[in-house]
Coordinates of all heavy atoms in Angstrom, one line a residue:
M108 N -6.9 1.2 -3.8 CA -6.4 1.9 -2.6 C -7.5 2.4 -1.7 O -8.5 3.0 -2.2 CB -5.5 3.0 -3.2 CG -5.0 4.0 -2.0 SD -3.8 5.2 -2.7 CE -4.9 6.5 -2.9
R109 N -7.4 2.2 -0.4 CA -8.4 2.7 0.5 C -8.1 4.1 0.8 O -7.0 4.5 0.9 CB -8.4 1.9 1.7 CG -9.0 0.5 1.5 CD -9.1 -0.3 2.8 NE -9.2 0.5 4.0 CZ -9.1 0.0 5.2 NH1 -8.6 -1.2 5.4 NH2 -9.3 0.8 6.2
R110 N -9.2 4.8 0.9 CA -9.0 6.3 1.2 C -8.9 6.5 2.7 O -9.6 5.8 3.5 CB -10.3 7.1 0.7 CG -10.4 7.1 -0.8 CD -9.4 7.9 -1.4 NE -9.5 7.9 -2.9 CZ -8.8 8.8 -3.6 NH1 -7.9 9.6 -3.1 NH2 -8.9 8.8 -4.9
R111 N -8.2 7.5 3.1 CA -8.0 7.9 4.5 C -9.3 8.5 5.0 O -10.1 9.1 4.3 CB -6.9 9.0 4.7 CG -5.6 8.5 4.5 CD -4.7 9.6 4.9 NE -4.6 9.8 6.3 CZ -3.9 10.6 6.8 NH1 -3.1 11.3 6.2 NH2 -3.8 10.7 8.2
D112 N -9.5 8.4 6.3 CA -10.6 9.2 6.9 C -10.0 10.6 7.2 O -9.1 10.8 8.0 CB -10.9 8.5 8.3 CG -12.0 9.3 9.1 OD1 -12.6 10.2 8.5 OD2 -12.1 9.1 10.2
L113 N -10.4 11.6 6.3 CA -9.8 12.8 6.4 C -10.3 13.7 7.7 O -9.8 14.8 7.8 CB -10.2 13.6 5.1 CG -9.6 13.0 3.9 CD1 -10.0 13.8 2.7 CD2 -8.0 12.9 3.9
S114 N -11.2 13.1 8.5 CA -11.6 13.9 9.6 C -10.5 13.9 10.7 O -10.5 14.8 11.5 CB -12.8 13.2 10.2 OG -12.6 11.9 10.7
T115 N -9.4 13.0 10.5 CA -8.4 13.0 11.5 C -7.2 13.8 11.0 O -6.1 13.9 11.7 CB -8.0 11.5 11.7 OG1 -7.5 11.0 10.5 CG2 -9.0 10.7 12.3
V116 N -7.3 14.4 9.8 CA -6.1 15.1 9.2 C -6.2 16.6 9.7 O -7.2 17.2 9.6 CB -6.2 15.1 7.7 CG1 -5.0 15.8 7.1 CG2 -6.1 13.6 7.2
S117 N -5.1 17.1 10.3 CA -5.0 18.5 10.7 C -4.8 19.5 9.6 O -4.4 19.0 8.5 CB -3.9 18.6 11.8 OG -2.6 18.5 11.1
V118 N -5.2 20.7 9.9 CA -4.9 21.7 8.8 C -3.5 21.9 8.4 O -3.2 22.0 7.3 CB -5.6 23.0 9.3 CG1 -5.2 24.2 8.4 CG2 -7.0 23.0 9.6
A119 N -2.6 21.8 9.4 CA -1.2 21.8 9.2 C -0.8 20.7 8.3 O 0.1 20.9 7.4 CB -0.4 21.8 10.5
D120 N -1.3 19.5 8.5 CA -0.9 18.4 7.7 C -1.5 18.6 6.2 O -0.8 18.2 5.2 CB -1.5 17.0 8.2 CG -0.9 15.8 7.6 OD1 0.3 15.8 7.2 OD2 -1.6 14.8 7.4
V121 N -2.7 19.1 6.1 CA -3.2 19.3 4.7 C -2.3 20.4 4.0 O -2.1 20.3 2.8 CB -4.7 19.8 4.8 CG1 -5.2 20.3 3.5 CG2 -5.6 18.7 5.3
E122 N -1.9 21.4 4.7 CA -1.1 22.4 4.1 C 0.2 21.8 3.7 O 0.7 22.1 2.5 CB -0.8 23.6 5.1 CG -2.0 24.5 5.3 CD -1.9 25.4 6.4 OE1 -0.7 25.5 7.1 OE2 -2.7 26.3 6.6
R123 N 0.8 21.0 4.5 CA 2.1 20.3 4.2 C 1.9 19.4 2.9 O 2.7 19.4 2.1 CB 2.6 19.5 5.3 CG 4.0 18.9 5.2 CD 4.5 18.2 6.4 NE 3.5 17.2 6.8 CZ 3.6 16.0 6.5 NH1 4.4 15.6 5.5 NH2 2.7 15.1 6.9
R124 N 0.8 18.7 2.9 CA 0.5 17.8 1.7 C 0.3 18.7 0.4 O 0.6 18.2 -0.6 CB -0.7 16.9 2.0 CG -0.3 15.9 3.0 CD -1.5 15.1 3.6 NE -1.2 14.2 4.7 CZ -1.0 13.0 4.5 NH1 -1.2 12.4 3.3 NH2 -0.7 12.2 5.5
M125 N -0.3 19.8 0.6 CA -0.5 20.7 -0.6 C 0.8 21.2 -1.1 O 1.0 21.2 -2.3 CB -1.4 21.9 -0.2 CG -1.5 22.9 -1.2 SD -2.5 22.3 -2.7 CE -4.1 22.4 -2.1
I126 N 1.7 21.5 -0.3 CA 3.1 21.9 -0.7 C 3.7 20.7 -1.4 O 4.4 21.0 -2.4 CB 3.9 22.4 0.6 CG1 3.3 23.7 1.0 CG2 5.3 22.6 0.2 CD1 3.9 24.2 2.4
I127 N 3.6 19.6 -1.0 CA 4.2 18.4 -1.5 C 3.6 18.1 -2.9 O 4.3 18.0 -3.9 CB 4.1 17.2 -0.7 CG1 4.9 17.2 0.6 CG2 4.4 15.9 -1.5 CD1 4.6 16.1 1.6
A128 N 2.3 18.3 -3.0 CA 1.6 18.1 -4.2 C 2.0 19.2 -5.3 O 2.2 18.8 -6.5 CB 0.0 18.1 -4.0
L129 N 2.1 20.4 -4.8 CA 2.5 21.5 -5.8 C 3.9 21.3 -6.2 O 4.2 21.7 -7.3 CB 2.3 22.8 -5.1 CG 0.8 23.3 -4.9 CD1 0.7 24.6 -4.1 CD2 0.1 23.5 -6.3
G130 N 4.7 20.8 -5.4 CA 6.1 20.5 -5.8 C 6.2 19.3 -6.8 O 7.2 19.3 -7.6
K131 N 5.3 18.5 -6.9 CA 5.3 17.4 -7.8 C 4.6 17.7 -9.2 O 4.8 17.0 -10.1 CB 4.4 16.2 -7.2 CG 5.0 15.6 -5.9 CD 6.3 14.9 -6.1 CE 6.1 13.6 -6.9 NZ 7.3 12.9 -7.2
M132 N 3.8 18.8 -9.2 CA 3.2 19.4 -10.4 C 4.1 20.2 -11.2 O 5.1 20.8 -10.7 CB 1.9 20.1 -10.1 CG 0.9 19.4 -9.3 SD -0.4 20.6 -8.8 CE -1.3 19.6 -7.6
T133 N 3.9 20.3 -12.5 CA 4.6 21.3 -13.2 C 4.1 22.7 -12.9 O 3.1 22.8 -12.2 CB 4.4 21.1 -14.8 OG1 3.0 21.3 -15.1 CG2 4.8 19.7 -15.2
A134 N 4.9 23.7 -13.2 CA 4.5 25.1 -12.9 C 3.0 25.4 -13.5 O 2.2 26.0 -12.9 CB 5.5 26.1 -13.4
R135 N 2.8 25.0 -14.7 CA 1.6 25.2 -15.3 C 0.4 24.5 -14.7 O -0.6 25.0 -14.5 CB 1.7 24.9 -16.9 CG 0.5 25.3 -17.7 CD 0.7 25.1 -19.1 NE 0.5 23.7 -19.5 CZ 0.7 23.3 -20.7 NH1 1.1 24.0 -21.6 NH2 0.5 22.0 -21.0
Q136 N 0.7 23.2 -14.3 CA -0.4 22.4 -13.6 C -0.7 23.1 -12.3 O -1.9 23.2 -11.9 CB 0.1 21.1 -13.5 CG 0.1 20.2 -14.7 CD 0.8 18.8 -14.4 OE1 1.4 18.5 -13.4 NE2 0.6 17.9 -15.4
G137 N 0.3 23.5 -11.6 CA 0.1 24.2 -10.3 C -0.7 25.5 -10.4 O -1.6 25.7 -9.6
D138 N -0.3 26.3 -11.4 CA -1.1 27.5 -11.6 C -2.5 27.2 -12.0 O -3.4 27.9 -11.5 CB -0.4 28.3 -12.7 CG -1.1 29.7 -12.9 OD1 -1.2 30.4 -12.0 OD2 -1.5 29.9 -14.1
I139 N -2.7 26.3 -12.9 CA -4.1 26.0 -13.3 C -4.9 25.4 -12.1 O -6.0 25.8 -11.9 CB -4.1 25.0 -14.6 CG1 -3.6 25.8 -15.8 CG2 -5.4 24.4 -14.7 CD1 -3.3 24.8 -17.0
F140 N -4.3 24.5 -11.4 CA -5.0 23.9 -10.2 C -5.4 25.0 -9.2 O -6.6 25.0 -8.8 CB -4.0 22.9 -9.6 CG -4.6 22.3 -8.3 CD1 -5.6 21.3 -8.4 CD2 -4.2 22.7 -7.0 CE1 -6.1 20.8 -7.2 CE2 -4.7 22.1 -5.9 CZ -5.7 21.2 -6.0
L141 N -4.5 25.9 -8.9 CA -4.8 26.9 -7.9 C -5.8 27.9 -8.4 O -6.7 28.4 -7.7 CB -3.5 27.6 -7.5 CG -2.5 26.8 -6.6 CD1 -1.2 27.5 -6.4 CD2 -3.1 26.3 -5.3
S142 N -5.7 28.2 -9.7 CA -6.6 29.2 -10.4 C -8.0 28.6 -10.4 O -9.0 29.3 -10.2 CB -6.2 29.5 -11.7 OG -4.9 30.2 -11.7
V143 N -8.2 27.3 -10.8 CA -9.5 26.7 -10.8 C -10.1 26.6 -9.5 O -11.3 26.9 -9.2 CB -9.4 25.4 -11.6 CG1 -10.8 24.6 -11.5 CG2 -9.1 25.7 -13.1
R144 N -9.3 26.1 -8.6 CA -9.8 25.6 -7.2 C -10.1 26.9 -6.3 O -11.1 26.8 -5.6 CB -8.9 24.7 -6.5 CG -8.7 23.4 -7.2 CD -10.1 22.6 -7.3 NE -10.4 22.1 -6.1 CZ -11.6 21.5 -5.9 NH1 -12.4 21.2 -6.8 NH2 -11.9 21.1 -4.6
F145 N -9.3 27.9 -6.3 CA -9.3 28.9 -5.4 C -9.9 30.2 -6.0 O -10.3 31.2 -5.4 CB -8.0 29.1 -4.6 CG -7.6 27.8 -3.9 CD1 -6.6 27.0 -4.3 CD2 -8.4 27.5 -2.8 CE1 -6.3 26.0 -3.6 CE2 -8.1 26.4 -2.0 CZ -7.0 25.6 -2.5
D146 N -9.5 30.5 -7.3 CA -9.9 31.8 -7.9 C -11.2 31.7 -8.9 O -11.7 32.7 -9.4 CB -8.8 32.3 -8.7 CG -7.6 32.6 -7.9 OD1 -7.7 32.9 -6.7 OD2 -6.5 32.6 -8.5
D147 N -11.7 30.4 -9.0 CA -12.7 30.1 -9.9 C -12.6 30.7 -11.3 O -13.5 31.2 -12.0 CB -14.1 30.7 -9.3 CG -14.5 30.0 -8.1 OD1 -14.3 28.7 -8.0 OD2 -15.1 30.6 -7.2
A148 N -11.3 30.6 -11.8 CA -10.9 31.0 -13.1 C -11.6 30.1 -14.2 O -11.4 28.9 -14.1 CB -9.4 31.1 -13.3
P149 N -12.2 30.7 -15.3 CA -12.7 29.8 -16.3 C -11.6 29.2 -17.1 O -10.5 29.8 -17.3 CB -13.6 30.8 -17.1 CG -13.1 32.1 -16.7 CD -12.5 32.0 -15.4
Y150 N -11.9 28.0 -17.7 CA -10.9 27.3 -18.5 C -10.4 28.1 -19.7 O -9.3 28.1 -20.0 CB -11.4 26.0 -19.0 CG -11.5 24.9 -17.9 CD1 -11.5 25.2 -16.5 CD2 -11.6 23.6 -18.2 CE1 -11.6 24.3 -15.5 CE2 -11.6 22.6 -17.2 CZ -11.6 22.9 -15.9 OH -11.7 21.9 -15.0
G151 N -11.4 28.8 -20.3 CA -11.0 29.7 -21.5 C -10.0 30.7 -21.2 O -9.1 31.0 -21.9
E152 N -10.2 31.4 -20.0 CA -9.3 32.4 -19.6 C -7.9 31.8 -19.2 O -6.9 32.4 -19.6 CB -9.8 33.1 -18.3 CG -8.9 34.1 -17.7 CD -9.4 34.7 -16.4 OE1 -10.6 35.0 -16.4 OE2 -8.6 34.7 -15.4
L153 N -7.8 30.6 -18.7 CA -6.6 30.0 -18.4 C -5.9 29.5 -19.7 O -4.7 29.6 -19.8 CB -6.7 28.8 -17.5 CG -7.2 29.2 -16.0 CD1 -7.7 27.9 -15.3 CD2 -6.2 29.9 -15.3
A154 N -6.7 29.1 -20.6 CA -6.1 28.7 -22.0 C -5.4 29.9 -22.6 O -4.3 29.8 -23.1 CB -7.2 28.2 -22.8
E155 N -6.0 31.1 -22.6 CA -5.5 32.3 -23.2 C -4.3 32.7 -22.4 O -3.2 33.1 -23.0 CB -6.5 33.4 -23.1 CG -7.6 33.3 -24.1 CD -8.6 34.5 -24.1 OE1 -8.1 35.6 -23.7 OE2 -9.8 34.3 -24.4
R156 N -4.3 32.6 -21.1 CA -3.2 33.0 -20.3 C -1.9 32.2 -20.6 O -0.8 32.7 -20.6 CB -3.6 32.9 -18.8 CG -2.4 33.3 -17.8 CD -2.7 33.1 -16.4 NE -3.9 33.4 -15.9 CZ -4.5 33.1 -14.8 NH1 -3.7 32.3 -13.9 NH2 -5.7 33.4 -14.4
H157 N -2.1 30.9 -20.8 CA -1.0 30.0 -21.0 C -0.7 29.7 -22.5 O 0.3 29.0 -22.8 CB -1.2 28.7 -20.2 CG -1.2 28.8 -18.7 ND1 0.0 29.0 -18.1 CD2 -2.2 28.9 -17.9 CE1 -0.3 29.1 -16.7 NE2 -1.6 29.0 -16.6
G158 N -1.5 30.2 -23.4 CA -1.3 30.0 -24.8 C -1.6 28.5 -25.2 O -0.8 28.0 -26.1
I159 N -2.5 28.0 -24.5 CA -2.9 26.5 -24.9 C -4.4 26.4 -25.1 O -5.1 27.3 -25.0 CB -2.4 25.6 -23.7 CG1 -3.1 26.0 -22.4 CG2 -0.9 25.6 -23.5 CD1 -2.9 25.1 -21.2
T160 N -4.8 25.2 -25.5 CA -6.2 25.0 -25.8 C -6.9 24.6 -24.5 O -6.3 24.3 -23.4 CB -6.4 23.8 -26.7 OG1 -5.9 22.6 -26.1 CG2 -5.6 24.0 -28.0
V161 N -8.2 24.8 -24.5 CA -9.1 24.4 -23.3 C -8.9 22.9 -23.0 O -8.9 22.6 -21.8 CB -10.6 24.8 -23.6 CG1 -11.4 24.2 -22.5 CG2 -10.7 26.3 -23.8
E162 N -8.7 22.1 -24.0 CA -8.5 20.6 -23.7 C -7.2 20.4 -23.0 O -7.2 19.6 -22.1 CB -8.4 19.9 -25.1 CG -9.8 19.8 -25.8 CD -10.2 21.0 -26.5 OE1 -9.3 21.8 -26.8 OE2 -11.4 21.2 -26.8
Q163 N -6.2 21.2 -23.3 CA -4.9 21.0 -22.6 C -5.1 21.6 -21.1 O -4.5 21.0 -20.1 CB -3.8 21.8 -23.2 CG -3.3 21.1 -24.5 CD -2.4 22.0 -25.4 OE1 -2.7 23.2 -25.5 NE2 -1.3 21.4 -25.7
V164 N -5.9 22.6 -20.9 CA -6.2 23.1 -19.6 C -6.9 22.0 -18.8 O -6.5 21.7 -17.6 CB -7.0 24.4 -19.5 CG1 -7.5 24.8 -18.2 CG2 -6.2 25.5 -20.3
T165 N -7.9 21.4 -19.5 CA -8.6 20.2 -18.7 C -7.7 19.1 -18.4 O -7.7 18.5 -17.3 CB -9.7 19.8 -19.7 OG1 -10.6 20.8 -20.1 CG2 -10.5 18.6 -19.0
H166 N -6.8 18.8 -19.3 CA -5.8 17.7 -19.0 C -4.9 18.0 -17.9 O -4.6 17.3 -17.0 CB -5.0 17.4 -20.3 CG -3.9 16.4 -20.1 ND1 -4.2 15.0 -20.0 CD2 -2.6 16.5 -20.0 CE1 -3.1 14.4 -19.8 NE2 -2.1 15.2 -19.8
D167 N -4.3 19.3 -17.9 CA -3.5 19.7 -16.9 C -4.2 19.8 -15.5 O -3.6 19.3 -14.5 CB -2.8 21.0 -17.1 CG -1.7 21.0 -18.2 OD1 -1.3 19.9 -18.5 OD2 -1.2 22.1 -18.6
F168 N -5.4 20.2 -15.5 CA -6.1 20.2 -14.2 C -6.4 18.8 -13.7 O -6.3 18.6 -12.5 CB -7.5 20.9 -14.3 CG -8.3 21.1 -13.1 CD1 -7.7 21.7 -12.0 CD2 -9.5 20.4 -13.0 CE1 -8.4 21.8 -10.9 CE2 -10.2 20.5 -11.9 CZ -9.7 21.2 -10.8
A169 N -6.7 17.9 -14.6 CA -7.0 16.5 -14.2 C -5.7 15.9 -13.6 O -5.7 15.2 -12.6 CB -7.4 15.7 -15.4
C170 N -4.5 16.1 -14.3 CA -3.2 15.6 -13.8 C -2.9 16.2 -12.3 O -2.5 15.5 -11.5 CB -2.1 15.9 -14.7 SG -2.2 15.0 -16.2
A171 N -3.2 17.5 -12.2 CA -2.9 18.2 -10.9 C -3.8 17.7 -9.8 O -3.5 17.4 -8.7 CB -3.1 19.7 -11.1
L172 N -5.1 17.5 -10.2 CA -6.1 16.9 -9.3 C -5.8 15.5 -8.8 O -5.9 15.2 -7.7 CB -7.5 17.0 -9.9 CG -8.7 17.0 -9.0 CD1 -8.6 18.0 -7.9 CD2 -10.0 17.0 -9.7
R173 N -5.2 14.8 -9.7 CA -4.8 13.4 -9.4 C -3.7 13.4 -8.4 O -3.7 12.6 -7.5 CB -4.5 12.6 -10.7 CG -4.2 11.1 -10.5 CD -4.1 10.4 -11.8 NE -3.4 11.0 -12.9 CZ -3.9 11.5 -14.0 NH1 -5.3 11.4 -14.2 NH2 -3.2 12.1 -14.9
M174 N -2.7 14.3 -8.7 CA -1.6 14.4 -7.8 C -2.0 14.9 -6.4 O -1.5 14.3 -5.4 CB -0.5 15.3 -8.4 CG 0.8 15.4 -7.5 SD 1.6 13.9 -7.2 CE 2.0 13.4 -8.8
W175 N -2.9 15.8 -6.4 CA -3.4 16.4 -5.1 C -4.1 15.2 -4.3 O -3.8 15.0 -3.1 CB -4.4 17.5 -5.3 CG -5.1 17.9 -4.1 CD1 -6.5 18.0 -4.0 CD2 -4.6 18.2 -2.8 NE1 -6.8 18.4 -2.8 CE2 -5.8 18.5 -2.0 CE3 -3.4 18.3 -2.2 CZ2 -5.7 18.9 -0.6 CZ3 -3.3 18.6 -0.9 CH2 -4.4 19.0 -0.1
G176 N -4.8 14.4 -5.0 CA -5.6 13.3 -4.4 C -4.5 12.2 -3.8 O -4.7 11.7 -2.7
R177 N -3.5 12.0 -4.6 CA -2.5 11.0 -4.2 C -1.8 11.5 -2.8 O -1.6 10.8 -1.9 CB -1.4 10.9 -5.2 CG -1.8 10.0 -6.3 CD -0.6 10.0 -7.2 NE -0.6 8.9 -8.1 CZ 0.2 8.7 -9.2 NH1 1.0 9.7 -9.5 NH2 0.2 7.7 -9.9
C178 N -1.5 12.8 -2.9 CA -0.7 13.4 -1.7 C -1.7 13.5 -0.5 O -1.3 13.3 0.6 CB -0.2 14.7 -2.1 SG 1.2 14.7 -3.3
L179 N -2.9 13.9 -0.7 CA -3.9 14.0 0.3 C -4.1 12.6 1.1 O -4.2 12.6 2.3 CB -5.1 14.7 -0.1 CG -6.2 14.9 1.0 CD1 -5.7 16.0 2.0 CD2 -7.5 15.5 0.3
H180 N -4.2 11.6 0.3 CA -4.8 10.4 0.9 C -3.6 9.4 1.1 O -3.8 8.3 1.7 CB -5.7 9.6 -0.1 CG -7.0 10.4 -0.2 ND1 -8.0 10.4 0.8 CD2 -7.5 11.2 -1.2 CE1 -9.0 11.1 0.5 NE2 -8.7 11.7 -0.7
A181 N -2.4 9.8 0.9 CA -1.2 8.9 1.2 C -1.1 8.7 2.8 O -1.2 9.7 3.5 CB 0.1 9.4 0.7
R182 N -1.1 7.5 3.2 CA -0.9 7.3 4.7 C 0.4 7.8 5.2 O 0.3 8.4 6.3 CB -1.1 5.8 5.0 CG -2.4 5.3 4.7 CD -2.8 4.2 5.7 NE -4.1 3.7 5.4 CZ -5.3 4.2 6.0 NH1 -5.2 5.1 6.9 NH2 -6.5 3.8 5.6
F183 N 1.4 7.6 4.6 CA 2.8 8.1 5.1 C 3.4 8.8 3.9 O 4.3 8.2 3.3 CB 3.5 6.9 5.5 CG 2.9 6.1 6.6 CD1 2.3 4.9 6.3 CD2 2.8 6.6 7.9 CE1 1.7 4.1 7.3 CE2 2.1 5.9 8.9 CZ 1.6 4.7 8.6
P184 N 3.1 10.1 3.7 CA 3.7 10.7 2.5 C 5.2 10.8 2.6 O 5.9 10.7 1.5 CB 3.0 12.1 2.5 CG 2.6 12.3 3.9 CD 2.3 10.9 4.4
H185 N 5.8 10.8 3.8 CA 7.2 10.9 3.8 C 7.9 9.6 3.4 O 9.0 9.6 3.0 CB 7.7 11.2 5.2 CG 7.3 10.3 6.3 ND1 6.0 10.3 6.8 CD2 8.0 9.4 6.9 CE1 5.9 9.4 7.7 NE2 7.1 8.8 7.8
L186 N 7.2 8.5 3.4 CA 7.6 7.2 2.9 C 7.4 7.0 1.4 O 8.2 6.5 0.8 CB 7.0 6.0 3.7 CG 7.3 5.9 5.1 CD1 6.5 4.8 5.8 CD2 8.8 5.7 5.4
V187 N 6.3 7.6 1.0 CA 6.0 7.6 -0.5 C 7.0 8.4 -1.2 O 7.4 8.1 -2.3 CB 4.6 8.0 -0.7 CG1 4.2 8.1 -2.2 CG2 3.6 7.1 0.0
W188 N 7.3 9.7 -0.7 CA 8.2 10.6 -1.3 C 9.2 11.1 -0.3 O 9.2 12.1 0.2 CB 7.3 11.8 -1.8 CG 6.3 11.5 -2.8 CD1 6.6 11.0 -4.0 CD2 4.9 11.6 -2.6 NE1 5.3 10.8 -4.6 CE2 4.3 11.1 -3.8 CE3 4.1 11.9 -1.6 CZ2 2.9 11.0 -3.9 CZ3 2.7 11.8 -1.7 CH2 2.2 11.4 -2.9
P189 N 10.2 10.2 0.0 CA 11.2 10.5 1.1 C 12.1 11.7 0.7 O 12.7 12.2 1.5 CB 12.0 9.2 1.1 CG 11.8 8.5 -0.2 CD 10.4 8.9 -0.6
W190 N 12.2 12.0 -0.7 CA 13.1 13.1 -1.1 C 12.5 14.4 -0.8 O 13.2 15.4 -1.1 CB 13.5 12.9 -2.5 CG 12.2 12.8 -3.4 CD1 11.6 13.8 -4.0 CD2 11.6 11.6 -3.8 NE1 10.6 13.3 -4.8 CE2 10.6 11.9 -4.6 CE3 11.8 10.3 -3.4 CZ2 9.7 11.1 -5.2 CZ3 10.9 9.4 -4.0 CH2 9.8 9.7 -4.9
L191 N 11.2 14.6 -0.4 CA 10.5 15.8 -0.2 C 10.5 16.1 1.3 O 10.4 15.3 2.1 CB 9.1 15.9 -0.8 CG 9.0 15.8 -2.2 CD1 7.6 15.7 -2.7 CD2 9.7 17.0 -2.9

């Protein structure tokens, strides 16, 4: 899959795509993604908060990051996910 040139993507479009991506993630994946990316929360702290292992935090973050990448780089997200 070819990546989009993100220099042409508006801030409003990125925000809309973030909402789509968060809607596709589980609640735990969304919380871990936002905590790691924006709050710089350590994996150990997130593992304690959610009652899981650090490996599960790593897996959830990887899944969330993959979903964010899919949503960000989709050329026509409304065609990929017409129900959103």
Side-chain angles (χ1 to χ4, degrees):
M108 174 173 97
R109 286 181 36 195
R110 297 287 183 172
R111 286 183 77 176
D112 176 16
L113 295 179
S114 65
T115 62
V116 178
S117 69
V118 171
D120 192 37
V121 170
E122 289 174 352
R123 187 174 58 83
R124 288 167 186 260
M125 176 64 79
I126 292 168
I127 291 171
L129 289 170
K131 301 289 288 173
M132 297 174 198
T133 65
R135 187 171 79 187
Q136 287 173 348
D138 180 59
I139 289 171
F140 176 76
L141 293 174
S142 295
V143 169
R144 297 299 290 177
F145 298 110
D146 298 335
D147 293 324
Y150 285 22
E152 177 185 313
L153 293 171
E155 286 180 28
R156 183 188 311 169
H157 292 284
I159 58 177
T160 65
V161 173
E162 289 78 21
Q163 288 171 310
V164 171
T165 303
H166 176 77
D167 281 350
F168 181 66
C170 290
L172 199 57
R173 186 170 41 251
M174 182 55 64
W175 168 233
R177 283 175 155 174
C178 291
L179 182 63
H180 291 285
R182 292 212 179 266
F183 305 104
H185 61 281
L186 295 177
V187 176
W188 301 291
W190 54 89
L191 292 176

